[in-house]
């Protein structure tokens, strides 16, 4: 069983405080990353601001004060009913509802539209029903939108818990500032001690660099065979030079002597042309490293079509190249052309495989039918093999009749292949025809409906491995009571192979019944059982049962029973607490016989 | 031995991360947010001794005879007044109610529901983006925006 020793995340570096709120009551929901306050005081734009209520959605950066809002600065006093403010931009909009809507803007040069989002769904009840929420007298928002609190009380599932003099309320958020972070330390009986740390360096709108370190110490494990420890270092850096140019670097080193690195430079020349250049090095375990240089260019030619060019060269003389062109004309015609060339070293030898492929396709698509011709070429220059394969595809688009109750479609594909290998020459052809007919749901009674579909396929080829297959699916559903359904599914599939006088084949049948219950959000379950009429035996049963145990806690189980082996194949049990941006799950899995507690970011 | 050291290190890390734990934080006064629900709807229906909104929307058409602004208050222990103000798309005050007294006897009421209506079947054109605000004891307690097409 996995044992969590510690799951802390904290920044060692100090972030600047963007704004500080003091209130008679302040509550922060970790689940939703939102603040609600009453009797609040704060300072912005050199004004002291007081208000009856405060709502802040940290994720979307919306700050909204309302109810008797007063802004005071030496000799200046403004009163209003609402105040929207942006502590980062140092601006705000004060609104007063009297005989007309009066608006005063602070720090905003242009006459912006009246803010409309008053965080309707952010309510005190929502905050108080969070899995984790904190109440405090002082809350601070840092410049990277972390939330700090002073004289904090943690409320766990509504119950007042421990208090803290100062606490990072939003600990574990994705938003973080530059600096080192020790993300996790775990111990498991199977993996040993695991430590994860990271270092973030960023400058606004220009550089973003994250280095992660994963460390596993296995020497503490009994009977462990393998290296005592493993270290992984990963770096991902992006740099924005200007609005048309940016670059990125990724690097990964593993103590088992595996590492790779790549650098990509992206350049947008104009509205239609974009190019990226890349250099990469990859060192797999036990193999020689490879260094590749490459480029990709995309040209958007509008009505002239789109062209893509790519080329890569490896210093040991390996080459990859590709070209693709596509265009749509006269509304219904589409033309596609592509070609690739590869010269790649064969693993374990000094030889190279060298392959040239090409394809061209012209298709016509109308309301009634579609027609497509393709030509595919594969030339193995090393093995002196040439495959050319023209193809013709004709289909009738699905059409409905009998007042839309029946829908039919028909498709035919003809493929011809020609292979030249040295002096050898072979050809082959095949034809595949598929017809399908299905019905829309037919209501025999207001609570009872039927659905059926049949399909037939015939495959013919030069080698005479011909077959014909067909299938039928029937589906019925009956609503027993509101939200409770009884469903039945029958399907039969048959495949017949004919060669001269011999006809052979297989037939399979399946009959399934399913009971579904979803009368409300609190109950959503189904249970099914399958029967094989041909062999006259029960086969499988599945169940997916989910219901709300108590407020926001859901029980969920997945069960599979095999009647043929007469055993319970699998049963998974989940107890889930939906908590806004995280989900807390207690899980037991029968296959691994493991119980785990998971806190999953959403 | 190494496991014990790991446990001590983890606990120390946790305490360093979360700051000083104190178990003597004075409880904050109970919050007073009275407005539990503030929605726009087309009709209200009985819900026991109270009312409940039905056909909740912020998108109305001229054929809708009324726009209702429904409010539900909770934990009302004092006398108070409610007032609705309706603002036309041009930002002018179109209609306001008088101060409606609530709970004059100052009994404890677990919930209070009330609504005001904007009658769209008048001669003026009502098309545009409207606003309605609700004041509790003369102070803004909520605002909603809606569209009439």
């Amino acid at each position: 069983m996995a044992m969590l020793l510690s799951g802390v995340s904290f920044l060692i570096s100090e972030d600047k405080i963007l704004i500080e709120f003091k209130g008679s009551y302040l509550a922060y929901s970790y689940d939703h990353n939102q603040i609600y306050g009453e009797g609040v005081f704060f300072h912005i734009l050199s004004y002291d601001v007081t208000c009856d209520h405060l709502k802040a959605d940290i994720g979307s950066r919306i700050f909204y004060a309302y109810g008797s809002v007063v802004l005071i600065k030496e000799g200046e006093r403004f009163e209003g009913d609402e105040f929207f403010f942006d502590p980062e931009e140092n601006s705000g909009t004060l609104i007063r509802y009297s005989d007309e809507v009066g608006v005063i803007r602070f720090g905003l040069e242009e006459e912006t539209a009246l803010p409309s989002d008053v965080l309707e769904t952010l309510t005190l009840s929502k905050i108080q029903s969070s899995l984790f929420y904190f109440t405090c007298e002082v809350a601070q928002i840092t410049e990277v939108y972390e939330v700090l609190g002073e004289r904090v009380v943690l409320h766990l599932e509504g119950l007042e818990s421990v208090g803290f003099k100062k606490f990072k309320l939003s600990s574990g958020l994705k938003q973080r500032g530059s600096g080192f972070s020790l993300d996790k330390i775990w111990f498991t009986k199977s993996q040993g001690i695991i430590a994860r740390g990271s270092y973030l360096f960023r400058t606004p709108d220009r550089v973003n660099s994250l280095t992660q370190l994963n460390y596993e110490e296995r020497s503490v494990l009994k009977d462990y065979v393998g290296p005592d420890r493993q270290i992984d270092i990963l770096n991902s850096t992006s740099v924005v030079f200007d609005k048309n140019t940016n670059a990125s670097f990724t690097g990964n080193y593993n103590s088992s002597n595996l590492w790779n690195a790549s650098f990509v430079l992206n350049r947008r020349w104009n509205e239609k042309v974009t190019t990226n250049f890349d250099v990469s090095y990859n060192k797999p375990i036990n193999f020689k490293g490879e260094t590749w240089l490459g480029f990709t260019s995309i040209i958007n030619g509008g009505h002239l079509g789109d062209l893509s060019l790519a080329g890569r060269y490896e210093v040991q003389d390996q080459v990859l190249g590709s070209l693709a062109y596509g265009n749509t004309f006269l509304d219904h015609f589409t033309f596609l052309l592509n070609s690739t060339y590869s010269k790649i070293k064969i693993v374990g030898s000094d030889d190279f495989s060298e392959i040239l492929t090409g394809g061209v396709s012209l298709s016509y698509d109308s309301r009634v039918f579609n027609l497509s011709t393709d030509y595919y070429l594969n030339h193995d220059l090393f093995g002196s093999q040439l495959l050319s394969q023209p193809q013709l595809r004709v289909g009738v688009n699905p059409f409905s009749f009998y007042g839309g109750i029946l829908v039919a479609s028909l498709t035919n594909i003809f493929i011809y292949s020609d292979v030249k290998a040295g002096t050898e020459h072979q050809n082959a052809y095949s034809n595949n025809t598929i017809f399908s007919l299905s019905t829309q749901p037919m209501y025999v009674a207001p609570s009872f409906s039927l659905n059926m579909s049949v399909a037939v396929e015939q495959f013919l080829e030069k080698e005479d491995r011909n077959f014909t297959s067909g299938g039928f699916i029937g589906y019925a559903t009956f609503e027993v009571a509101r939200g409770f359904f009884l469903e039945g599914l029958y399907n039969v599939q048959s495949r017949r192979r004919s060669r001269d006088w011999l006809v052979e084949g297989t037939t399979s049948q399946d009959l399934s019944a399913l009971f579904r219950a979803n009368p409300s959000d609190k109950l959503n379950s189904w249970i099914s059982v399958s029967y094989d009429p041909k062999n006259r035996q029960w086969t499988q049963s599945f169940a997916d049962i989910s219901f709300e145990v108590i407020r926001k806690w859901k029980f969920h189980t997945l069960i599979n029973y095999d009647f043929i082996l007469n055993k319970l194949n699998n049963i998974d049990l989940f107890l889930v607490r939906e908590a806004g941006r995280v989900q807390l799950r207690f899980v037991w899995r029968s296959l691994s016989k493991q119980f785990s507690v998971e806190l999953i970011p959403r | 031995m190494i496991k014990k050291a790991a446990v001590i290190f983890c606990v120390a890390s946790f305490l360093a991360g979360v700051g000083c734990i104190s178990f003597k934080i004075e409880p904050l006064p109970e919050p007073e947010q009275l407005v539990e629900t503030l929605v726009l709807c087309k009709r209200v229906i009985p819900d026991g001794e109270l009312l409940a909104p039905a056909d909740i929307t912020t998108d109305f058409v001229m054929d809708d005879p009324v726009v209702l602004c429904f409010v539900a208050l909770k934990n009302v222990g004092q006398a108070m007044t409610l007032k609705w103000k309706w603002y036309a798309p041009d930002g002018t005050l179109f209609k306001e109610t008088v101060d409606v007294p609530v709970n004059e006897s100052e009994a404890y009421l677990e919930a209070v529901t009330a609504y005001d209506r904007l009658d769209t079947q008048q001669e003026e054109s009502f098309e545009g983006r409207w606003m309605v605000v609700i004041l509790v004891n003369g102070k803004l307690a909520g605002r909603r925006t809606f569209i009439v097409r």
Side-chain angles (χ1 to χ4, degrees), chain A residues 223-254:
Chain A
D223 307 323
Y224 181 79
V225 180
D228 280 348
R229 56 196 59 84
Q230 181 174 308
I231 300 168
D232 283 296
I233 301 171
L234 298 96
N235 178 272
S236 175
T237 302
S238 61
V239 184
V240 177
F241 297 107
D242 58 51
K243 66 176 185 178
N244 293 318
T245 315
N246 62 71
S248 64
F249 170 82
T250 55
N252 178 18
Y253 168 77
N254 182 289

Short mmCIF file of all heavy atoms in Angstrom, two decimals, chain A residues 223-254:
data_model
loop_
_atom_site.label_atom_id
_atom_site.label_comp_id
_atom_site.label_asym_id
_atom_site.label_seq_id
_atom_site.Cartn_x
_atom_site.Cartn_y
_atom_site.Cartn_z
N ASP A 223 15.15 -6.43 -0.75
CA ASP A 223 15.08 -7.33 -1.91
C ASP A 223 14.90 -6.58 -3.23
O ASP A 223 14.25 -7.07 -4.14
CB ASP A 223 13.92 -8.33 -1.75
CG ASP A 223 14.00 -9.07 -0.42
OD1 ASP A 223 15.13 -9.37 0.01
OD2 ASP A 223 12.94 -9.32 0.18
N TYR A 224 15.42 -5.37 -3.32
CA TYR A 224 15.28 -4.65 -4.59
C TYR A 224 16.48 -4.94 -5.49
O TYR A 224 17.62 -4.86 -5.07
CB TYR A 224 15.17 -3.13 -4.34
CG TYR A 224 15.00 -2.36 -5.63
CD1 TYR A 224 13.75 -2.30 -6.26
CD2 TYR A 224 16.08 -1.74 -6.24
CE1 TYR A 224 13.60 -1.64 -7.45
CE2 TYR A 224 15.94 -1.07 -7.43
CZ TYR A 224 14.69 -1.02 -8.04
OH TYR A 224 14.54 -0.36 -9.24
N VAL A 225 16.19 -5.30 -6.71
CA VAL A 225 17.26 -5.58 -7.67
C VAL A 225 17.29 -4.44 -8.67
O VAL A 225 16.30 -4.19 -9.35
CB VAL A 225 17.00 -6.92 -8.40
CG1 VAL A 225 18.12 -7.21 -9.39
CG2 VAL A 225 16.85 -8.05 -7.40
N GLY A 226 18.41 -3.77 -8.77
CA GLY A 226 18.50 -2.66 -9.72
C GLY A 226 19.31 -1.54 -9.11
O GLY A 226 19.85 -1.68 -7.99
N PRO A 227 19.46 -0.43 -9.82
CA PRO A 227 20.26 0.68 -9.30
C PRO A 227 19.68 1.21 -7.99
O PRO A 227 18.46 1.22 -7.80
CB PRO A 227 20.18 1.75 -10.39
CG PRO A 227 19.45 1.16 -11.52
CD PRO A 227 18.86 -0.14 -11.12
N ASP A 228 20.57 1.64 -7.10
CA ASP A 228 20.13 2.14 -5.79
C ASP A 228 19.33 3.43 -5.89
O ASP A 228 18.53 3.74 -5.05
CB ASP A 228 21.35 2.39 -4.89
CG ASP A 228 21.83 1.08 -4.29
OD1 ASP A 228 21.09 0.08 -4.39
OD2 ASP A 228 22.95 1.06 -3.74
N ARG A 229 19.63 4.20 -6.91
CA ARG A 229 18.93 5.48 -7.04
C ARG A 229 18.83 5.89 -8.51
O ARG A 229 19.60 5.42 -9.35
CB ARG A 229 19.62 6.58 -6.23
CG ARG A 229 21.07 6.80 -6.55
CD ARG A 229 21.76 7.60 -5.46
NE ARG A 229 21.67 6.94 -4.16
CZ ARG A 229 22.53 5.99 -3.75
NH1 ARG A 229 23.53 5.60 -4.53
NH2 ARG A 229 22.40 5.42 -2.58
N GLN A 230 17.88 6.76 -8.76
CA GLN A 230 17.72 7.26 -10.13
C GLN A 230 17.42 8.75 -10.08
O GLN A 230 16.65 9.21 -9.23
CB GLN A 230 16.58 6.53 -10.83
CG GLN A 230 16.39 7.03 -12.27
CD GLN A 230 15.35 6.21 -13.01
OE1 GLN A 230 15.42 4.99 -13.05
NE2 GLN A 230 14.39 6.89 -13.61
N ILE A 231 18.03 9.48 -10.99
CA ILE A 231 17.81 10.93 -11.05
C ILE A 231 17.34 11.29 -12.45
O ILE A 231 17.89 10.82 -13.45
CB ILE A 231 19.12 11.70 -10.75
CG1 ILE A 231 19.64 11.35 -9.36
CG2 ILE A 231 18.90 13.21 -10.86
CD1 ILE A 231 21.05 11.84 -9.11
N ASP A 232 16.31 12.10 -12.53
CA ASP A 232 15.83 12.66 -13.80
C ASP A 232 15.88 14.17 -13.70
O ASP A 232 15.38 14.73 -12.72
CB ASP A 232 14.37 12.29 -14.05
CG ASP A 232 14.20 10.88 -14.52
OD1 ASP A 232 14.70 10.58 -15.60
OD2 ASP A 232 13.56 10.11 -13.79
N ILE A 233 16.47 14.80 -14.69
CA ILE A 233 16.44 16.27 -14.73
C ILE A 233 15.82 16.68 -16.06
O ILE A 233 16.22 16.20 -17.12
CB ILE A 233 17.86 16.87 -14.63
CG1 ILE A 233 18.52 16.42 -13.33
CG2 ILE A 233 17.80 18.40 -14.66
CD1 ILE A 233 19.98 16.77 -13.24
N LEU A 234 14.78 17.50 -15.99
CA LEU A 234 14.10 17.95 -17.19
C LEU A 234 14.09 19.48 -17.21
O LEU A 234 13.86 20.10 -16.17
CB LEU A 234 12.65 17.47 -17.22
CG LEU A 234 12.39 15.99 -17.23
CD1 LEU A 234 12.14 15.47 -15.84
CD2 LEU A 234 11.17 15.70 -18.08
N ASN A 235 14.33 20.02 -18.38
CA ASN A 235 14.24 21.48 -18.51
C ASN A 235 13.40 21.83 -19.73
O ASN A 235 13.50 21.20 -20.77
CB ASN A 235 15.64 22.10 -18.66
CG ASN A 235 15.54 23.60 -18.86
OD1 ASN A 235 15.40 24.09 -19.98
ND2 ASN A 235 15.56 24.35 -17.78
N SER A 236 12.54 22.81 -19.52
CA SER A 236 11.72 23.29 -20.63
C SER A 236 11.77 24.81 -20.58
O SER A 236 11.38 25.41 -19.58
CB SER A 236 10.29 22.78 -20.45
OG SER A 236 9.48 23.35 -21.44
N THR A 237 12.30 25.41 -21.64
CA THR A 237 12.49 26.87 -21.66
C THR A 237 11.89 27.45 -22.93
O THR A 237 12.08 26.87 -24.02
CB THR A 237 13.99 27.22 -21.59
OG1 THR A 237 14.53 26.64 -20.41
CG2 THR A 237 14.22 28.71 -21.58
N SER A 238 11.17 28.52 -22.80
CA SER A 238 10.69 29.22 -24.00
C SER A 238 11.06 30.68 -23.89
O SER A 238 11.04 31.26 -22.80
CB SER A 238 9.18 29.05 -24.15
OG SER A 238 8.52 29.60 -23.03
N VAL A 239 11.43 31.25 -25.03
CA VAL A 239 11.83 32.65 -25.09
C VAL A 239 11.07 33.32 -26.22
O VAL A 239 11.02 32.79 -27.34
CB VAL A 239 13.36 32.79 -25.36
CG1 VAL A 239 13.77 34.26 -25.32
CG2 VAL A 239 14.16 31.99 -24.37
N VAL A 240 10.45 34.45 -25.92
CA VAL A 240 9.75 35.21 -26.95
C VAL A 240 10.62 36.41 -27.30
O VAL A 240 10.92 37.24 -26.44
CB VAL A 240 8.36 35.67 -26.44
CG1 VAL A 240 7.66 36.52 -27.48
CG2 VAL A 240 7.51 34.46 -26.07
N PHE A 241 11.05 36.48 -28.58
CA PHE A 241 11.91 37.59 -29.00
C PHE A 241 11.06 38.78 -29.44
O PHE A 241 11.31 39.91 -29.07
CB PHE A 241 12.83 37.15 -30.15
CG PHE A 241 13.77 36.04 -29.74
CD1 PHE A 241 13.58 34.75 -30.18
CD2 PHE A 241 14.83 36.30 -28.89
CE1 PHE A 241 14.43 33.73 -29.81
CE2 PHE A 241 15.70 35.29 -28.50
CZ PHE A 241 15.50 34.00 -28.95
N ASP A 242 10.09 38.50 -30.28
CA ASP A 242 9.12 39.52 -30.67
C ASP A 242 7.85 38.80 -31.10
O ASP A 242 7.78 37.57 -30.97
CB ASP A 242 9.66 40.44 -31.79
CG ASP A 242 10.07 39.66 -33.02
OD1 ASP A 242 9.25 38.86 -33.50
OD2 ASP A 242 11.20 39.83 -33.50
N LYS A 243 6.85 39.52 -31.58
CA LYS A 243 5.56 38.88 -31.83
C LYS A 243 5.63 37.85 -32.96
O LYS A 243 4.74 37.03 -33.10
CB LYS A 243 4.48 39.92 -32.12
CG LYS A 243 4.67 40.69 -33.41
CD LYS A 243 3.49 41.61 -33.64
CE LYS A 243 3.63 42.28 -34.99
NZ LYS A 243 2.52 43.14 -35.32
N ASN A 244 6.72 37.89 -33.76
CA ASN A 244 6.84 36.93 -34.86
C ASN A 244 7.91 35.86 -34.63
O ASN A 244 8.04 34.96 -35.45
CB ASN A 244 7.16 37.67 -36.17
CG ASN A 244 6.01 38.53 -36.62
OD1 ASN A 244 4.86 38.11 -36.54
ND2 ASN A 244 6.30 39.74 -37.07
N THR A 245 8.68 36.00 -33.59
CA THR A 245 9.80 35.08 -33.38
C THR A 245 9.82 34.56 -31.95
O THR A 245 9.73 35.34 -31.01
CB THR A 245 11.14 35.79 -33.67
OG1 THR A 245 11.03 36.52 -34.88
CG2 THR A 245 12.28 34.80 -33.79
N ASN A 246 9.91 33.27 -31.82
CA ASN A 246 10.09 32.69 -30.49
C ASN A 246 10.91 31.42 -30.60
O ASN A 246 11.06 30.85 -31.69
CB ASN A 246 8.74 32.43 -29.80
CG ASN A 246 7.90 31.43 -30.55
OD1 ASN A 246 8.23 30.26 -30.57
ND2 ASN A 246 6.83 31.89 -31.18
N ALA A 247 11.43 30.99 -29.47
CA ALA A 247 12.27 29.79 -29.47
C ALA A 247 11.96 28.96 -28.25
O ALA A 247 11.45 29.48 -27.24
CB ALA A 247 13.74 30.20 -29.47
N SER A 248 12.21 27.67 -28.35
CA SER A 248 12.00 26.82 -27.18
C SER A 248 13.10 25.78 -27.09
O SER A 248 13.67 25.36 -28.11
CB SER A 248 10.62 26.15 -27.25
OG SER A 248 10.57 25.29 -28.36
N PHE A 249 13.39 25.39 -25.86
CA PHE A 249 14.42 24.38 -25.61
C PHE A 249 13.84 23.36 -24.64
O PHE A 249 13.18 23.71 -23.66
CB PHE A 249 15.67 25.03 -24.99
CG PHE A 249 16.66 24.03 -24.49
CD1 PHE A 249 17.55 23.42 -25.38
CD2 PHE A 249 16.69 23.66 -23.16
CE1 PHE A 249 18.45 22.46 -24.92
CE2 PHE A 249 17.59 22.71 -22.69
CZ PHE A 249 18.47 22.11 -23.58
N THR A 250 14.05 22.08 -24.94
CA THR A 250 13.70 21.06 -23.96
C THR A 250 14.90 20.13 -23.80
O THR A 250 15.58 19.80 -24.78
CB THR A 250 12.47 20.21 -24.39
OG1 THR A 250 12.74 19.66 -25.68
CG2 THR A 250 11.21 21.02 -24.43
N GLY A 251 15.16 19.74 -22.59
CA GLY A 251 16.28 18.84 -22.31
C GLY A 251 15.88 17.85 -21.24
O GLY A 251 15.07 18.15 -20.36
N ASN A 252 16.41 16.65 -21.33
CA ASN A 252 16.07 15.61 -20.38
C ASN A 252 17.30 14.74 -20.16
O ASN A 252 17.91 14.25 -21.11
CB ASN A 252 14.92 14.78 -20.97
CG ASN A 252 14.51 13.63 -20.07
OD1 ASN A 252 14.84 13.62 -18.89
ND2 ASN A 252 13.82 12.67 -20.64
N TYR A 253 17.69 14.59 -18.89
CA TYR A 253 18.82 13.72 -18.56
C TYR A 253 18.35 12.69 -17.54
O TYR A 253 17.65 13.02 -16.58
CB TYR A 253 19.99 14.53 -17.99
CG TYR A 253 21.05 13.64 -17.39
CD1 TYR A 253 21.94 12.95 -18.22
CD2 TYR A 253 21.12 13.45 -16.01
CE1 TYR A 253 22.88 12.09 -17.68
CE2 TYR A 253 22.07 12.59 -15.47
CZ TYR A 253 22.93 11.91 -16.31
OH TYR A 253 23.86 11.04 -15.78
N ASN A 254 18.75 11.45 -17.77
CA ASN A 254 18.41 10.38 -16.84
C ASN A 254 19.68 9.68 -16.43
O ASN A 254 20.56 9.43 -17.26
CB ASN A 254 17.45 9.41 -17.57
CG ASN A 254 16.99 8.30 -16.67
OD1 ASN A 254 17.77 7.43 -16.33
ND2 ASN A 254 15.73 8.34 -16.28
#
